Amino acid sequence: DAGVIQSPRHEVTEMGQEVTLRCKPISGHDYLFWYRQTMMRGLELLIYFNNNVPIDDSGMPEDRFSAKMPNASFSTLKIQPSEPRDSAVYFCASSLVVGGHPNIQYFGAGTRLSVL
Amino acid sequence: RKEVEQDPGPFNVPEGATVAFNCTYSNSASQSFFWYRQDCRKEPKLLMSVYSSGNEDGRFTAQLNRASQYISLLIRDSKLSDSATYLCGVYGGATNKLIFGTGTLLAVQP
């Protein structure tokens, strides 16, 4: 079975440019999560969706960040305009519901973003 | 205080040693607990879930102490291949957020 698929794997862009990260969750999973990982702050939850609906975006750092999930098999995280401090690894993860709650999360390989 | 805290390490141990990590959490209503392993420049991967009664998987043992609000991971007979960062994950209370600690770096030396 294919796992969570993210693209691109690496992105290098210049400050001020728009960046779009993509994620395809595991088929049948109800929850999708976007995380950001840096050395300083570790793995931070940015936003998560349940059945394509955004549930909690309190981790989104500011209005420059937005996320969508137009259908069960696709989600995007957009940064516009990008800034050097956005440089990080962005992970997408998906999960099944077990007992009414999301359970084990499976991560994609991540997108390594560098904003120059 | 952070919701989930771990000693960042590094823990440098010789092959064959036994090593233990703790992870404390602040939300007493937390229900689900996990240990993930992350290799350098890779994604986190589930190592094991942590059950109330404690559980074992080969050389790995996970335990939960609700009274003191921490989970632990014990690795026996360490292998070079165990070198990685170990992240604990805690589902907080009524939310469906999995909050991760910053990870503990383990380096097993030959």
Side-chain angles (χ1 to χ4, degrees):
Chain A
D1 286 342
V4 177
I5 300 172
Q6 290 187 247
S7 64
R9 292 292 307 278
H10 303 274
E11 178 80 32
V12 181
T13 191
E14 292 186 346
M15 183 173 62
Q17 296 298 306
E18 177 179 297
V19 175
T20 300
L21 312 181
R22 297 172 177 79
C23 175
K24 177 179 168 57
I26 294 173
S27 177
H29 280 194
D30 307 276
Y31 280 81
L32 183 139
F33 304 82
W34 281 101
Y35 291 88
R36 176 173 68 176
Q37 188 174 40
T38 61
M39 288 292 292
M40 291 297 294
R41 301 174 68 89
L43 196 59
E44 301 174 282
L45 178 65
L46 300 177
I47 184 171
Y48 75 93
F49 296 82
N50 177 213
N51 291 324
N52 314 338
V53 176
I55 302 300
D56 188 331
D57 65 354
S58 59
M60 296 285 259
E62 47 197 278
D63 291 346
R64 297 184 298 106
F65 286 69
S66 63
K68 293 181 180 180
M69 191 166 186
N71 57 62
S73 59
F74 184 66
S75 177
T76 60
L77 178 68
K78 186 177 292 187
I79 309 172
Q80 166 63 21
S82 58
E83 297 182 3
R85 59 193 167 122
D86 301 330
S87 297
V89 181
Y90 291 81
F91 288 107
C92 175
S94 70
S95 173
L96 266 177
V97 172
V98 176
H101 298 282
N103 201 268
I104 297 166
Q105 292 188 17
Y106 297 88
F107 284 76
T111 295
R112 189 169 297 272
L113 174 65
S114 296
V115 183
L116 306 177
Chain B
R1 181 186 173 189
K2 289 184 179 179
E3 289 187 67
V4 179
E5 294 196 77
Q6 294 182 253
D7 181 342
F11 282 56
N12 295 301
V13 303
E15 272 187 290
T18 295
V19 62
F21 312 133
N22 282 345
C23 168
T24 60
Y25 61 94
S26 60
N27 190 335
S28 60
S30 297
Q31 293 296 320
S32 302
F33 309 88
F34 304 93
W35 282 103
Y36 279 76
R37 171 191 168 130
Q38 186 173 25
D39 293 300
C40 187
R41 301 180 75 84
K42 298 286 189 180
E43 72 273 24
K45 292 184 178 178
L46 180 73
L47 178 65
M48 56 199 304
S49 303
V50 185
Y51 303 124
S52 297
S53 56
N55 47 300
E56 188 174 303
D57 183 2
R59 298 181 293 108
F60 299 84
T61 300
Q63 292 194 313
L64 167 64
N65 185 317
R66 285 195 183 276
S68 300
Q69 294 183 204
Y70 73 88
I71 61 172
S72 64
L73 177 67
L74 181 78
I75 306 175
R76 291 180 298 278
D77 188 22
S78 299
K79 311 290 185 191
L80 294 176
S81 57
D82 294 334
S83 298
T85 296
Y86 292 83
L87 298 160
C88 63
V90 178
Y91 269 113
T95 75
N96 290 323
K97 295 182 183 182
L98 183 60
I99 307 298
F100 284 94
T102 52
T104 297
L105 179 61
L106 172 66
V108 181
Q109 317 285 349

